[in-house]
Every structure is written in C-alpha cells, then in structure tokens.
Amino acid sequence: MTTGFFGDMSPATFKGAEAGPFDFAHYNPDEQIMGKPMKDHLRFALAYWHSLAWEGGDPFGGPTFDRPWFPHGTMERAKLKADVAFELFDLLGQPYFCWHDADIRPEGDSFAQSLRNFEEIIDYFEEKLEHRNLGLLWGTANMFSHRRWMSGASTNPDPDVFAYSAATVKTCMDATHRLNGENYVLWGGREGYETLLNTDMSRELDHMGRFLNMVVEYKHKIGFKGTILVEPKPQEPSKHQYDYDAATCYGFLQKYGLEKEVKLNLEQGHAILAGHSFEHEIATAAALGVLGSIDMNRNDYQSGWDTDQFPNSVPEVALAYYHILKAGGLGTGGTNFDAKLRRQSLDPQDLVAAHVGAMDVCARGLKAAVALIEDGGLDDALTARYAGWDTPAAQAMLNSDFDAIFADVVAQDAGPKPKSGRQEILENLVNKFV
Ligand code: XLS
Ligand code: NI
Ligand code: NI
C-alpha cells in the first residue's frame, strides 16, 4: 500500500539519450568510473527538511505547498510524512538521506515528550530501512528554529540553553548511531551574534569549543564510528556566524584541539555567501586535511541570499568534483541535496524532477572531472609550474636561513625570470571537458 502521493510514477532509471523528465540521462549508478561504481563516488543524499518538511514560505509569504502532512504537529502526520519520504527515496534510488530531529517529529510540550516522539519516528525509520538499500548519511539537531535558540545554542548566554543543547545533541547522536549513520553534522545557524554590544565573543567561543569536545567525547563513549562534521556558513540567520568558512573553522578546531577529530561539511551556497567559490572551500579543506562531506545546493548569484537551489551548472559542479577526486574522494561523506524547490513548484512531480535533474548534473560533473584527470593536462601544467621546487638546491633552501639565501641571491644577481601562469590555456583545457 502506498500513500498515492506520487500517483503512478515509477522509479527513475538510467535511460541515457532516451531519458524523459523523470529518468536519468547521465546518472548510471553502477557505471564503473576510476575503479568504482559512479554511485560510490557521488553518495547522494536527500535532505528531509527541504523536501518533506518545508512548506514553501518566504520572508514575504506563507506556505504555498499543499501537502497532506501539513500543518506539522501530530504523530499521525509525521508518520504520513515518513511514508511519503520513503516513497520518494524509492523513486529516486539514492543511497542516503539526512534529517534534523525537528524535521521528522512533532515538538512536544516538554523535552521528554519531544524525545518520545523522536524515538517513535526513529523506530519507524528503522523498520523501513530494514528491507531497503538505503542508509543515513548524517543526522543533526535543529538548534536554530525554536525561539529557545534565538541567542544561540552552545554559545547562549544562558547556561540552561547550553544544557538543553547538550541533551538534544546527545539524543540526535544516539539516534544517528542506532541507524548506522555515517556522519554527524553540527551547523550553528545561531552560533554567532547580532550585535557585539551584547556579546562576549571570547566566552562564547570557549563554550562552543567545549561543547564540540563533548560531542567528540560522547562519540567515543558510545562507540560511534562515523565522522563528526561542522558545516561552515558566514551569516544568515545570524548576522555573523563563528563557523564563517573552511579556514575559520580550521583555526577554531585547532585552538580547541579538535583538528584530528572533526571534519567539514561544505555547502556550495555557503561558500558563495562567504565570498569564495565552492572549489576554494573544497581545496582549502583538502589542504588542511578536513574535507568531510558536501551540501550540493547553489545560491542565486543576484539575490545574495541562501536560496538553496538544486545544482544545475555542470561546469561549477565539475570543478567541485575535480578537487574532491584530487583529494581522494568523499570518504564517509556524500553529496547531500540541501536544496528546496522554488515555492511555485507545487506538484509532487516537481520534487522528483528536481532531484533527478540534480543527480544528473552531478553525474555529468563527475564524468567531466574524471575526463580532466584522465587527460592529465592540468596535472602536467601544475608539475611544470612547480618544477623548480623539485631541484636539490630549492629543497636545501627550505632548510637553510635568511643569511644563506641572501648570500646566494647577491652572488647570482640576475634575479628571477617571470613565467606565464597560462590561465587562459588552462581554462580552455577545462572547457574541452565540461
Ligand atoms: C543551513 C544549513 C543547514 C545544515 C543542516 O543553511 O545548510 O541546512 O545543512 O543544519
Ligand atoms: Ni545552507
Ligand atoms: Ni547545509
């Protein structure tokens, strides 16, 4: 028995050039790419919050989506939402999904009641997962929507909120562990400030550092083998968020002794908000050894807002996967579509088409990235550009000191000869494959 929400739609399959709007033209899960199936490179995940829980509101207007499980609030509707969620997963065949506690269960009148609701849904998920080829990429706690978090979660000036946050994350980590989740994510939408006039930044950072250490301690205590991930974002909803970007997060992790324990979940739209490109964030995390997972949703370049749109630019996606592949892949991470429909896209079919299209864009991007790697032109250019550093003299310089280097430079007196960076040639090379 199905809910009937998706009518007579059938599961999306790879049809190549023959693909209709609900089939894959590029995503061919079992196609072998660089020694493993395409699906194991991409590790797609669906985001429960945007696809099932979001009602279509924006700052100027209320809900536009008419779903039989809205308004949220009862266990019956939460279960209907879960039924439809798993029907959507069956239509798409992606290997993972992700949730916040608040997406899947109704809020209770007390912490204990919210927890009972949550655990009942986790039981329900557990049954549904038993006979499916589907897993949890990550679980997370929503510590930004309810008014109790308005001044922060672990960075709240009120210790009672710190306590509530700790208890909440404990329950979400327990549930993630139970469902064999591969990661646990912390995104601190309210961990930051609105005005420095009322904010003791150094105390807040210390509390956030201690909190994250407690997360790691608890992970080891319960034997959770997944990766703990922090998701950077510069602002929105807070005016300034402490987890600004990959580099800022790394500095924070290092200060609190967590750089070996915690990795990053990078989001395309957040990179743009921080004034970076997505590949900048990926390359930064890779260089620092903290690349974890990605949220592959883009922003609108004109609005300057976190619009959470499904990816649809192959060249952008290709460069992201290029840097991911160069870094050795996503490990326990995956490609999560933290993306929502446009609020005029009312039909259940829109939900399916959005994900099918996004999976296809990523598959095309991945294939382009692989072609770039196999071509080898970018690698050769990089090797050639840094070749000077491969000489014994250059390596010896790194172990000498300013006086010795000074003496050499004075003796040579001809000085360095500038060489072309060949940017246009390299851009043209990329364009051959995307
Ligand atoms: C919001 C974030 C959020 C996290 C999970 O901008 O992207 O959706 O991914 O809390
Ligand atoms: Ni986001
Ligand atoms: Ni996200």
Side-chain angles (χ1 to χ4, degrees), residues 231 233 267 270 297 306 308 338:
E231 185 174 322
K233 185 175 184 180
E267 179 163 319
H270 298 182
N297 40 285
D306 189 8
D308 284 335
D338 188 357

Side-chain angles (χ1 to χ4, degrees), residues 263-309:
K263 292 188 164 145
L264 303 180
N265 181 39
L266 301 168
E267 179 163 319
Q268 199 272 359
H270 298 182
I272 305 306
L273 281 179
H276 301 307
S277 64
F278 194 26
E279 62 269 25
H280 167 88
E281 287 293 83
I282 292 168
T284 301
L288 297 169
V290 289
L291 175 62
S293 196
I294 58 170
D295 277 4
M296 183 58 103
N297 40 285
R298 71 180 181 91
N299 273 5
D300 182 281
Y301 287 100
Q302 284 78 49
S303 76
W305 199 241
D306 189 8
T307 51
D308 284 335
Q309 292 173 248

Side-chain angles (χ1 to χ4, degrees), residues 21 23-24 26-27 42 44-46 92 296-298 309-314 317 321 335-339 350-366:
D23 310 309
F24 298 119
H26 301 280
Y27 179 57
L42 294 162
F44 288 131
L46 238 100
L92 295 167
M296 183 58 103
N297 40 285
R298 71 180 181 91
Q309 292 173 248
F310 284 89
N312 62 5
S313 162
V314 174
V317 164
Y321 284 116
T335 303
N336 175 42
F337 296 118
D338 188 357
D350 294 323
L351 202 50
V352 176
H355 287 95
V356 165
M359 290 160 84
D360 257 352
V361 166
C362 291
R364 258 192 97 175
L366 177 77

